[in-house]
Amino acid sequence: MASPPDVVNPADVLGAPPVDRYALLEFAVEWHDLAGIDAQLAAALRLFVITRDPLDWLPDRGTAWATSNGDGDNGQLELPIYVTLDEVQRRLTVAHGDVAAALGPLCDTALLGAMRCQGVILAGAYPELAFRGEVPSLLVSPGEQRRREAPTITVADAGWEPMGLGAIQDLVQAAFGPVDLDRSAVRLRSTNAPRAGCPACAGIRFGFPGDLAEAQLAMCETHRAAAERITQARIARARTSNPAGWRAIGKGSARISGTAEPVGSPMPERRHAAVGRNDPCPCGSGRKYKQCCGA
């Protein structure tokens, strides 16, 4: 009987992540044998390892998730994959420390899922890669993987980084569906009387929401009010688009920042019969469903 392989420490292969922190590491993934739609979908793929899942209070979460993001106006598509560090360790151990052999099948199954769903992902001819807003299930079972050369997988950028809002939103989308949170950069209109020292008067663009919130303290009164209106409008749209998903973003963000989590858990992904309007809300708020997430 063959002995089990020696356990591989991911830190020896990927570099040590921050201790007991929510962080992610991005990989560059490149195939050398793809063409056509396969190649274009592969170019849209982004692979992340996460130290901890900010949504781990949900039941049956699994260890890897793939989703799709895009902009229908310019046809850009992004296919993010997230996999937990524990799962990476398991895969590296089986693959004897070979990153491509460990994570390549995960990337391949995401591409195969994207190909299967290309009628959903693509609005027209595939060169535009126009995304229509639906979220197909991109991960398929191992038995459906195509047999081909493993991709080259290398660490991208500067290594481990803090997990940001984009990653939380991707993970929430995989569990709850899309949350319409506009994260595009903000540039506020100029005023008739620009004030020295106001970053908005200087024409600076601000990332949303963090950069905009930080810059508000130094803004003139007019731009501070405009920034607050934009923030509230975007949050209201996100909350309305998916109440449970928005609640999950808040809970996940609080875990990462170390602040107090919102009262009541977000509604888990529905796997059973629909909740009655007068039943207690599954999110745990204590209110009736019709007065909470079902409002």
Side-chain angles (χ1 to χ4, degrees):
M1 182 175 179
S3 59
D6 294 333
V7 175
V8 175
N9 182 357
D12 295 336
V13 181
L14 312 178
V19 178
D20 197 32
R21 294 282 299 277
Y22 292 88
L24 56 78
L25 180 68
E26 181 174 4
F27 289 95
V29 182
E30 184 179 5
W31 280 268
H32 303 284
D33 59 342
L34 301 183
I37 183 61
D38 269 10
Q40 295 187 57
L41 289 174
L45 187 141
R46 300 183 69 185
L47 174 63
F48 301 93
V49 173
I50 59 175
T51 54
R52 299 169 65 185
D53 175 18
L55 273 65
D56 63 5
W57 74 86
L58 295 174
D60 305 322
R61 274 289 285 164
T63 55
W65 310 271
T67 187
S68 52
N69 307 317
D71 185 344
D73 294 331
N74 58 28
Q76 292 182 343
L77 176 70
E78 182 179 87
L79 303 174
I81 302 172
Y82 294 88
V83 56
T84 62
L85 191 58
D86 287 345
E87 175 66 8
V88 171
Q89 179 179 49
R90 186 190 69 80
R91 289 171 174 265
L92 283 173
T93 297
V94 173
H96 303 287
D98 186 328
V99 176
L103 300 181
L106 188 62
C107 300
D108 191 46
T109 192
L111 285 193
L112 183 56
M115 283 293 296
R116 174 189 296 171
C117 301
Q118 65 176 299
V120 174
I121 295 176
L122 310 181
Y126 70 77
E128 285 74 33
L129 290 178
F131 179 74
R132 298 194 304 199
E134 296 89 343
V135 184
S137 175
L138 299 181
L139 291 176
V140 299
S141 67
E144 296 178 272
Q145 292 175 20
R146 286 174 290 187
R147 296 183 180 277
R148 62 184 178 202
E149 183 179 350
T152 300
I153 299 178
T154 54
V155 174
D157 301 325
W160 292 95
E161 297 181 352
M163 192 180 300
L165 179 62
I168 300 172
Q169 188 173 353
D170 287 341
L171 292 166
V172 165
Q173 177 175 252
F176 294 92
V179 177
D180 188 10
L181 176 61
D182 183 357
R183 300 204 318 267
S184 62
V186 174
R187 173 173 284 164
L188 301 173
R189 294 180 180 179
S190 59
T191 65
N192 295 329
R195 193 200 75 185
C198 172
C201 288
I204 296 175
R205 296 179 65 197
F206 308 100
F208 184 86
D211 293 345
L212 183 64
E214 291 180 8
Q216 279 184 250
L217 297 175
M219 289 181 186
C220 65
E221 185 177 346
T222 300
H223 280 133
R224 191 180 304 123
E228 184 62 24
R229 287 194 298 270
I230 289 174
T231 299
Q232 294 304 318
R234 290 189 178 188
I235 289 176
R237 187 170 75 178
R239 182 186 294 116
T240 302
S241 71
N242 186 338
W246 176 249
R247 213 167 188 177
I249 287 177
K251 189 176 177 78
S253 298
R255 287 187 164 199
I256 287 176
S257 65
T259 57
E261 296 181 12
V263 177
S265 301
M267 181 170 59
E269 179 183 4
R270 291 190 183 179
R271 299 170 187 235
H272 306 292
V275 181
R277 285 180 52 76
N278 290 310
D279 293 340
C281 188
C283 76
S285 67
R287 291 179 292 173
K288 291 183 179 180
Y289 175 66
K290 67 181 180 182
Q291 297 169 334
C292 191
C293 294

